[in-house]
Amino acid sequence: MSLIYVLNGPNLNLLGKRQPHIYGHETLADVEADCRKLASELGHEIRFHQSNREYEIIDWIHEAREDGAGIVINPAAFTHTSLAILDALNTFEGPVIEIHISNVHKRESFRHHSFVSHRADGVIAGLGTEGYQLGIRRVATMLKVPKKE
């Protein structure tokens, strides 16, 4: 059983209440429950975190270096601003999947750039909260494939 980190950036604690026309009506607790159920079905465990503080996300990425096999991350606004999160992800050796609930490419132009994408093995955007489950499925699949030396 591998441990997959699911990390969430700023304002995602307001999921279901903030701009539901963009982000939907599901809460972050709903997303977490769905992620836990799926991970268990796939034979994995998850550690689910959300923070409005960049340093906490970085600390969890560092923690994942020690005991995590993969990371699914929705960095939210930090996507477009945080070199520090990119640097932390670059120290992680397992698969990283970047998630965005909305289709960032249909939104304001400043949302079109992602620092995190420079490290991510895949990006899922615009599929609502279902993107989290797809991210977990992809990490689980990637963990089955032997690493190339």
Side-chain angles (χ1 to χ4, degrees):
M1 181 178 290
S2 297
L3 180 60
I4 300 170
Y5 277 68
V6 180
L7 304 178
N8 295 278
N11 299 310
L12 287 165
N13 55 307
L14 299 176
L15 195 60
K17 301 172 197 154
R18 173 184 169 238
Q19 297 174 291
H21 62 286
I22 295 174
Y23 301 109
H25 294 280
E26 283 185 286
T27 67
L28 198 58
D30 296 332
V31 173
E32 181 176 0
D34 290 344
C35 288
R36 287 193 185 286
K37 182 177 183 242
L38 176 61
S40 178
E41 290 171 6
L42 296 173
H44 297 286
E45 195 177 331
I46 66 163
R47 194 158 295 158
F48 195 96
H49 295 294
Q50 184 278 328
S51 183
N52 297 321
R53 297 169 195 88
E54 183 179 39
Y55 77 89
E56 286 184 321
I57 295 168
I58 293 165
D59 286 347
W60 292 323
I61 294 167
H62 292 177
E63 183 181 300
R65 291 182 69 225
E66 301 300 320
D67 58 4
I71 295 174
V72 173
I73 183 168
N74 181 345
F78 290 143
T79 303
H80 323 292
T81 63
S82 183
L83 289 170
I85 289 175
L86 170 62
D87 287 347
L89 287 170
N90 281 333
T91 72
F92 181 74
E93 295 183 10
V96 174
I97 302 296
E98 178 182 352
I99 303 294
H100 299 286
I101 296 169
S102 68
N103 182 350
V104 293
H105 302 290
K106 287 182 75 175
R107 298 185 65 196
E108 304 93 339
S109 63
F110 67 84
R111 296 186 193 275
H112 299 176
H113 179 264
S114 168
F115 285 107
V116 173
S117 292
H118 291 277
R119 168 55 182 91
D121 297 296
V123 179
I124 299 169
L127 300 180
T129 58
E130 185 180 351
Y132 285 88
Q133 292 181 33
L134 296 169
I136 289 170
R137 285 187 186 282
R138 182 62 187 149
V139 166
T141 299
M142 293 175 80
L143 292 173
K144 291 179 187 176
V145 178
K147 291 183 181 178
K148 294 179 182 177
E149 298 292 325

